[in-house]
């Protein structure tokens, strides 16, 4: 019979074991990757910071229809109680009426109305449907301002300069803040580019979501904020936004990563994208002409995908692919892992087509104040 003190020590020990992250030794070493007894890959790993990750096979199935009330991308100020309270009851944008999740600093007199009306083209906010109808007769926009950089089928992306199109960018941030539980920019949009995803029909371009990125990022972040509107979540559009951000990084010849720390849902979305993208690379490797198992390095995976090396390593750890076997570190792709990957990829109906992207990066360091 164990004493209470012994039981408490055992529980503390067990909790430490459960929380202990997997580390890859910083010294260069070979990782053998096995696909259920066939095909192996030599990998040279690099160290990565430990990261606690919620368990999720596919974010499209695990993402809730309403947000979690915990977890944010940045700490709130306890003294600023007003900004912690939802202040808009309902918005109407296009053919949708949506219940906001969080606070957004719209004018106070408008937040007291039962419904806040938004023009789906310029994102201007109005107090009534009558005002909206009158506005639509005068509004010249039928798509976001800026350059269309991508079009495939009925999906289109526009690049908006936060300095040249300040009013639109500010309205976009106000809309986004209704669904993002973290401090985001509202007025100082000059240092940012915004990439707005739209669905195209004969009436115009209807906003689905967006991501923003800094014109110059010292940390090589390729995303600052990212959002898909609630009415189209769990349909693959979140991964489409993430995929485009990495396609832009490929054109720039850089590796990129989202701004840290990530929200709970942001981490789920990125972890799912990283897992699918890296597994797609590993699954596609073939033996060479001599029948030897193919070789690839972490650096090569990073260069192919534009995913930062630290994110590659943490994803491999999250997938529990790394183990130690006969004196070597081994990546094992079990049949279950391959079947799970195939199933999740079969549900990913929409993808970015690189040939449909028409975009050239700008050297913002030579442009003064942007």
């Amino acid at each position: 019979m164990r004493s209470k003190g012994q039981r408490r020590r055992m529980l503390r020990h067990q909790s430490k074991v459960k929380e202990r992250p997997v580390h890859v030794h910083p010294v260069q070493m070979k990782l053998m990757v096995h696909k259920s007894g066939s095909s192996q890959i030599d990998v040279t790993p690099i160290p990565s910071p430990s990261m606690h990750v919620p368990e999720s096979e596919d974010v499209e199935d695990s993402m809730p229809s309403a947000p979690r009330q915990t977890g944010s991308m940045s700490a709130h100020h306890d003294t600023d109680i007003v900004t912690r309270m939802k202040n808009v009851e309902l918005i109407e944008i296009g053919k949708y009426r949506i219940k906001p999740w969080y606070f957004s600093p719209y004018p106070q007199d408008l937040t007291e109305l039962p419904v806040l009306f938004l023009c789906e083209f310029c994102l201007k906010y109005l107090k009534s449907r009558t005002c909206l109808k009158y506005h639509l007769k005068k509004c010249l926009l039928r798509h976001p301002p800026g350059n269309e950089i991508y079009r495939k089928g009925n999906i289109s992306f526009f690049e908006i300069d936060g300095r040249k199109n300040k009013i639109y960018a500010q309205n976009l941030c106000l809309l986004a803040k209704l669904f993002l539980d973290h401090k985001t920019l509202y007025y100082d949009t000059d240092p940012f580019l915004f990439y707005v995803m739209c669905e195209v029909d004969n009436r115009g371009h209807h906003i689905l979501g967006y991501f923003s990125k800094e014109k110059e990022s010292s940390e090589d972040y390729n995303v600052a904020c990212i959002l898909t509107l609630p009415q189209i979540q769990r349909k693959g559009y979140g991964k489409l936004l993430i995929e485009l951000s990495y396609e832009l990084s490929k054109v720039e010849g850089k590796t990129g990563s989202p701004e840290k720390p990530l929200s709970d849902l942001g981490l789920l979305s990125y972890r799912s994208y990283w897992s699918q993208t890296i597994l797609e690379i590993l699954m596609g490797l073939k033996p060479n002409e001599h029948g030897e198992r193919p070789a690839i390095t972490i650096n090569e995976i990073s260069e192919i995908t534009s995913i930062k090396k630290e994110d590659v390593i943490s994803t491999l750890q999250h997938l529990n692919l790394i183990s130690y076997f006969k004196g070597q570190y081994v990546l094992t792709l079990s049949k279950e892992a391959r079947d799970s990957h195939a199933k999740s990829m079969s549900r990913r109906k929409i993808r970015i087509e690189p040939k449909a992207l028409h975009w050239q990066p700008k050297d913002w360091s030579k442009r003064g104040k942007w």
Side-chain angles (χ1 to χ4, degrees):
M1 194 72 173
R2 295 186 180 93
S3 67
K4 290 183 179 179
Q6 288 175 322
R7 288 198 295 271
R8 280 197 295 269
R9 284 194 293 273
M10 287 183 64
L11 288 172
R12 283 198 296 269
H13 173 72
Q14 289 171 358
S15 65
K16 288 178 182 177
V17 170
K18 289 178 182 177
E19 294 172 1
R20 188 176 298 147
V22 179
H23 290 283
V24 177
H25 197 277
V27 181
Q28 287 192 345
M29 55 196 152
K30 286 190 176 180
L31 276 163
M32 309 289 288
V33 180
H34 295 271
K35 284 188 194 173
S36 297
S38 67
S39 236
Q40 73 183 29
I41 308 155
D42 295 335
V43 182
T44 304
I46 62 167
S48 69
S50 62
M51 181 183 295
H52 174 69
V53 183
E55 294 294 332
S56 173
E57 288 298 324
D58 193 341
V59 69
E60 303 300 337
D61 291 336
S62 63
M63 186 173 291
S65 56
R68 284 183 53 161
Q69 298 304 312
T70 59
S72 62
M73 290 177 69
S74 63
H76 294 283
H77 298 288
D78 293 334
T79 56
D80 196 5
I81 301 299
V82 175
T83 62
R84 300 293 305 275
M85 300 172 62
K86 187 179 81 168
N87 62 333
V88 178
E89 287 300 315
L90 206 61
I91 65 167
E92 183 173 305
I93 179 168
K95 61 183 180 181
Y96 297 103
R97 278 199 169 188
I98 310 168
K99 284 188 176 182
W101 297 346
Y102 305 112
F103 171 89
S104 185
Y106 283 102
Q108 187 173 353
D109 58 325
L110 295 182
T111 63
E112 295 170 354
L113 299 171
V115 182
L116 179 62
F117 294 85
L118 302 180
C119 172
E120 63 177 326
F121 302 114
C122 71
L123 304 183
K124 182 177 180 179
Y125 42 89
L126 303 114
K127 65 180 181 180
S128 68
R129 184 176 282 109
T130 302
C131 292
L132 177 62
K133 288 180 180 178
Y134 182 72
H135 165 79
L136 287 172
K137 291 178 182 178
K138 300 189 302 178
C139 184
L140 301 177
L141 288 179
R142 286 299 177 267
H143 59 74
N147 299 320
E148 185 177 32
I149 63 169
Y150 181 89
R151 172 78 73 90
K152 183 183 179 185
N154 65 338
I155 299 297
S156 173
F157 280 88
F158 283 80
E159 180 185 66
I160 292 97
D161 188 324
R163 183 183 66 83
K164 292 181 180 178
N165 300 284
K166 190 184 294 287
I167 300 300
Y168 182 90
Q170 290 174 352
N171 287 340
L172 178 60
C173 292
L174 287 171
L175 171 62
K177 185 61 188 72
L178 292 170
F179 307 103
L180 294 175
D181 183 27
H182 62 85
K183 185 177 179 181
T184 187
L185 57 111
Y186 310 123
Y187 306 113
D188 185 20
T189 60
D190 289 18
F192 292 86
L193 295 169
F194 298 82
Y195 297 89
V196 179
M197 175 174 59
C198 299
E199 185 177 40
V200 184
D201 62 20
N202 55 7
R203 291 181 53 249
H205 294 63
H206 311 281
I207 183 171
L208 300 175
Y210 87 103
F211 69 88
S212 61
K213 63 183 291 187
E214 291 180 284
K215 293 174 181 176
E216 292 184 277
S217 174
S218 59
E219 303 291 335
D220 285 334
Y221 292 137
N222 62 2
V223 166
C225 283
I226 185 168
L227 171 74
T228 53
L229 292 176
Q231 72 270 18
I232 51 93
Q233 288 183 359
R234 302 180 65 181
K235 296 182 179 179
Y237 291 108
K239 282 198 181 74
L240 202 67
L241 286 167
I242 295 172
E243 190 173 8
L244 182 74
S245 72
Y246 280 104
E247 287 299 327
L248 298 184
S249 294
K250 289 177 185 177
V251 176
E252 292 176 309
K254 300 178 180 178
T255 58
S257 188
E259 195 169 300
K260 306 295 192 310
L262 288 166
S263 66
D264 291 348
L265 295 183
L267 181 57
L268 284 171
S269 298
Y270 270 93
R271 183 65 71 199
S272 178
Y273 173 80
W274 291 333
S275 298
Q276 290 182 3
T277 303
I278 293 170
L279 284 172
E280 200 170 25
I281 297 295
L282 297 179
M283 298 278 288
L285 292 169
K286 305 293 182 184
N288 62 21
E289 62 273 13
H290 304 295
E292 297 174 349
R293 291 165 178 166
I296 192 170
T297 66
I298 294 295
N299 281 342
E300 288 170 339
I301 294 175
S302 181
E303 289 171 6
I304 293 169
T305 62
S306 281
I307 299 172
K308 268 193 171 295
K309 291 179 284 189
E310 292 82 1
D311 295 331
V312 173
I313 288 292
S314 67
T315 301
L316 292 174
Q317 293 173 340
H318 166 72
L319 293 172
N320 292 322
L321 298 183
I322 300 177
S323 57
Y324 195 72
F325 181 71
K326 292 185 177 179
Q328 291 181 319
Y329 282 88
V330 176
L331 297 181
T332 305
L333 295 178
S334 66
K335 186 178 184 302
E336 290 77 12
R338 290 185 291 148
D339 289 345
S340 176
H341 172 68
K343 185 178 179 181
S344 64
M345 292 302 290
S346 68
R347 292 196 295 264
R348 193 169 162 187
K349 302 296 184 184
I350 49 176
R351 301 287 300 271
I352 291 294
E353 174 55 60
K355 293 180 181 178
L357 177 63
H358 304 285
W359 180 80
Q360 290 295 325
K362 299 179 177 68
D363 187 355
W364 295 101
S365 64
K366 297 180 180 179
R367 292 177 172 247
K369 191 64 177 176
W370 306 297

